[in-house]
């Protein structure tokens, strides 16, 4: 694992960020893990990907996209930490009660899962959230049926907050998604 580099993306790396996202959206559990489909993402213009990479690039203050880069330069996983400001609406329109980080877009290539690389990504994300973004807590949402992700989040210190969010089913008749909020408070003993 020492041959991997964990770092924030650079704004000019939008093509690699796009490619990693498209691979993630083709994962067998993508329908549980992401709110966007492959078909939606692949149709987006380059300008969308350029802006997205810029908003989460190294030095940005409102978000940070952190990736795991292999020795050959291949991006094998990543995540994004968004900063949500107290009093502002979150992505679903609910009022944010306090300044917090929100981890989204967690993905690791299957051949790199279970080796500790995702733990290192989360360590980097939490370090950025606590130090650079100075948030009070970090949260994430996980689908009620995504047991693998729930186990990982618990293992790295996140706990269910009790908040659930029901996302409407698609117009194609698919069932609504029930998302569970998991949180990690800044004062958590494992991160002092």
């Amino acid at each position: 694992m020492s041959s991997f580099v964990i770092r924030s993306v650079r704004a000019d790396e939008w093509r690699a960020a796009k490619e990693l996202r498209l691979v993630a959206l083709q994962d067998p559990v993508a329908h549980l893990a992401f709110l966007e489909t492959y078909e939606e993402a692949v149709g987006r213009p380059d300008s969308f990907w350029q802006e997205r990479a810029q908003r989460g690039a190294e030095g940005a203050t409102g978000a940070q996209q952190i990736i795991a880069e292999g020795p050959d330069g291949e991006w094998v996983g990543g995540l994004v930490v968004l900063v949500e400001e107290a009093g502002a609406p979150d992505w679903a329109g609910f009022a944010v009660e306090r300044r917090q980080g929100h981890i989204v877009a967690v993905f690791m290539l299957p051949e790199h899962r279970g080796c500790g690389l995702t733990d290192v990504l989360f360590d980097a994300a939490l370090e950025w959230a606590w130090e650079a973004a100075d948030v009070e807590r970090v949260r994430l949402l996980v689908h009620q049926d995504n047991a693998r992700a729930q186990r990982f989040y618990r293992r790295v210190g996140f706990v269910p907050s009790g908040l659930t969010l029901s996302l409407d089913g698609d117009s194609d008749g698919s069932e609504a998604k029930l998302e569970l909020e998991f949180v990690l408070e800044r004062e958590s003993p494992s991160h002092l």
Side-chain angles (χ1 to χ4, degrees):
M1 203 167 42
S2 63
S3 58
F4 288 89
V5 174
I6 307 299
R7 65 174 179 83
S8 295
V9 301
R10 294 181 294 273
D12 65 349
E13 294 177 311
W14 65 271
R15 284 183 182 88
K18 174 184 176 180
E19 182 60 32
L20 184 62
R21 179 66 171 183
L22 293 178
V23 169
L25 292 171
Q26 295 174 75
D27 191 83
V29 297
H31 67 287
L32 296 179
F34 304 109
L35 300 177
E36 173 182 47
T37 66
Y38 175 83
E39 291 75 23
E40 291 167 338
V42 77
R44 296 192 190 278
D46 288 349
S47 60
F48 170 85
W49 299 103
Q50 292 163 351
E51 291 168 15
R52 186 175 179 157
Q54 185 175 0
R55 281 193 313 269
E58 185 176 50
T61 58
Q64 202 70 188
Q65 182 174 3
I66 302 170
I67 53 110
E69 183 178 29
D72 59 357
E74 178 189 21
W75 291 12
V76 301
L79 56 75
V80 176
V81 183
L82 306 172
V83 176
E84 297 175 328
E85 296 294 344
D90 68 7
W91 64 273
F94 296 105
V96 174
E97 293 180 13
R98 55 190 163 152
R99 184 176 170 85
Q100 62 189 11
H102 187 163
I103 295 179
V104 299
V106 178
F107 178 72
M108 184 65 61
L109 290 174
E111 59 270 24
H112 295 284
R113 293 177 186 159
C115 70
L117 206 46
T118 309
D119 296 69
V120 179
L121 270 175
F122 265 73
D123 288 345
L126 292 171
E127 180 180 339
W128 182 83
W130 302 145
E131 302 303 323
D134 194 29
V135 300
E136 295 179 36
R137 75 175 190 164
V138 175
R139 74 174 182 150
L140 52 84
L141 297 172
V142 60
H143 191 282
Q144 67 179 357
D145 296 333
N146 195 342
R148 180 184 74 193
Q150 288 182 43
R151 281 190 305 273
F152 173 78
Y153 299 144
R154 287 177 194 271
R155 188 172 58 72
V156 296
F158 285 79
V159 295
S161 71
L163 178 70
T164 60
L165 179 63
S166 179
L167 304 178
D168 292 333
D170 293 332
S171 58
D172 65 3
S174 63
E175 290 185 34
K177 295 179 176 183
L178 185 60
E179 299 284 327
L180 312 175
E181 182 186 61
F182 277 53
V183 298
L184 181 64
E185 299 290 336
R186 187 176 189 131
E187 300 80 25
S188 174
S190 64
H191 290 86
L192 288 179

